Amino acid sequence: MANSCIDNTNATAVDNFAKNISHKTANQTRIKAALIDMDGTLYDSMPWHARAWHKMITELGVEATVEEFFEYEGMTGKATVNLLFERAFGRQATDEEAKDLYARKSLYFQTDNKARIMPGALDMVNTLIANNILPVLVTGSGQASLLDRINNDFHGAFPPERRITAHDVSKGKPDPEPYLKALKLAGVDPKEAIVVENAPLGIISGVAAGIFTIGVNTGPIPRHKLIDAGANIVFDSMPQFAEKLPDLLLELNKKTF
Ligand code: CA
């Protein structure tokens, strides 16, 4: 019962995506690359990011909640500092302020970070590789503490040359730039890729790049916010997504866009 519901959802999501693709070809879609977010998707790291942001900004005397930082997930550090500065001081941060404050937030994160690999994430990556799909990391983070361990944690799936990080983009999510750059890096068209994201801004970025975008709800953000952001399909946990991924890939690969 539950299985058929999910399978129907897969089929419907793929159908809807196909209808909205303006560039139609006679070729079968073949998914060749998976563009995957890091924080909250591959690592259970968001609670520590949120706490580090909150500690840094409240030390400045700026009022904020821990929860709001889940909503800013995907933005570059500078963009998040600017958002808080606009709200508190009515102006953007200078480059020096943004750099110093983001460095302080990063230090708090490194000191406190107990992020683990997201349960189900290794299964997801293994399924992609077993289907000859190239994993590419696409993150707004420049955080060395996770980037230094990710390739090892995921058994060689994310070498430095298959990453788009904060260092590679000028705009960051929700702008499509990170996912457009990842498509170029992977050498594929939008219809040959999938995006895996846990947060609304990342979903907006993937959708704007014209890619089938999968929302995996791993945190406290209400499910409807992932749907409102434009996700083509939403799963309620990473283990659930990992389990349904082979069926979803079958659906995507048999569809002619
Ligand atoms: Ca994320």
Side-chain angles (χ1 to χ4, degrees):
M1 177 75 184
N3 272 353
S4 70
C5 283
I6 296 283
D7 291 345
N8 285 339
T9 308
N10 278 346
T12 309
V14 174
D15 271 346
N16 289 340
F17 183 74
K19 272 185 222 152
N20 291 326
I21 293 255
S22 56
H23 178 66
K24 291 179 191 298
T25 72
N27 296 328
Q28 277 197 322
T29 299
R30 221 169 273 284
I31 303 298
K32 294 178 181 152
L35 317 181
I36 309 173
D37 168 59
M38 182 169 76
D39 290 292
T41 297
L42 292 172
Y43 288 106
D44 183 13
S45 45
M46 273 315 297
W48 286 277
H49 278 295
R51 270 196 268 178
W53 274 113
H54 184 256
K55 183 175 177 188
M56 180 279 281
I57 204 71
T58 50
E59 277 177 1
L60 264 190
V62 174
E63 276 189 38
T65 64
V66 174
E67 290 72 28
E68 73 177 281
F69 292 100
F70 285 87
E71 308 251 354
Y72 308 150
E73 202 190 330
M75 288 166 69
T76 62
K78 187 177 179 188
T80 305
V81 169
N82 275 333
L83 185 150
L84 295 161
F85 260 56
E86 285 284 1
R87 189 175 74 198
F89 310 123
R91 67 168 177 91
Q92 301 252 307
T94 65
D95 283 352
E96 200 181 351
E97 283 169 334
K99 202 174 150 199
D100 287 352
L101 293 172
Y102 186 60
R104 195 180 304 172
K105 178 264 163 181
S106 297
L107 180 68
Y108 290 157
F109 176 76
Q110 280 165 31
T111 309
D112 193 31
N113 171 24
K114 295 173 189 68
R116 301 163 309 159
I117 297 172
M118 183 68 75
L122 264 173
D123 288 343
M124 167 190 66
V125 171
N126 287 338
T127 297
L128 293 168
I129 290 168
N131 283 274
N132 296 315
I133 293 170
L134 187 74
V136 176
L137 186 73
V138 186
T139 176
S141 173
Q143 197 86 53
S145 54
L146 288 181
L147 290 169
D148 285 351
R149 58 181 268 210
I150 193 166
N151 198 40
N152 199 34
D153 281 352
F154 285 86
H155 308 163
F158 298 104
E161 66 273 17
R162 284 215 304 272
R163 301 176 188 174
I164 298 294
T165 72
H167 306 301
D168 301 304
V169 296
S170 56
K171 293 178 191 137
K173 303 168 189 176
D175 193 276
E177 185 189 9
Y179 282 109
L180 292 174
K181 287 208 162 163
L183 288 171
K184 204 168 172 191
L185 187 71
V188 300
D189 290 339
K191 65 181 187 306
E192 295 172 324
I194 55 173
V195 163
V196 185
E197 269 285 353
N198 73 304
L201 295 179
I203 289 169
I204 291 169
S205 173
V207 170
I211 308 166
F212 187 90
T213 299
I214 298 154
V216 185
N217 199 7
T218 63
I221 296 175
R223 185 182 212 275
H224 74 86
K225 292 205 174 183
L226 306 192
I227 296 165
D228 293 348
N232 296 102
I233 190 167
V234 174
F235 294 90
D236 292 319
S237 71
M238 186 56 76
Q240 186 200 44
F241 172 50
E243 189 195 333
K244 298 300 172 194
L245 179 57
D247 288 346
L248 179 60
L249 290 173
L250 278 177
E251 242 0 281
L252 282 163
N253 280 331
K254 79 182 183 192
K255 197 81 200 167
T256 302
F257 286 2

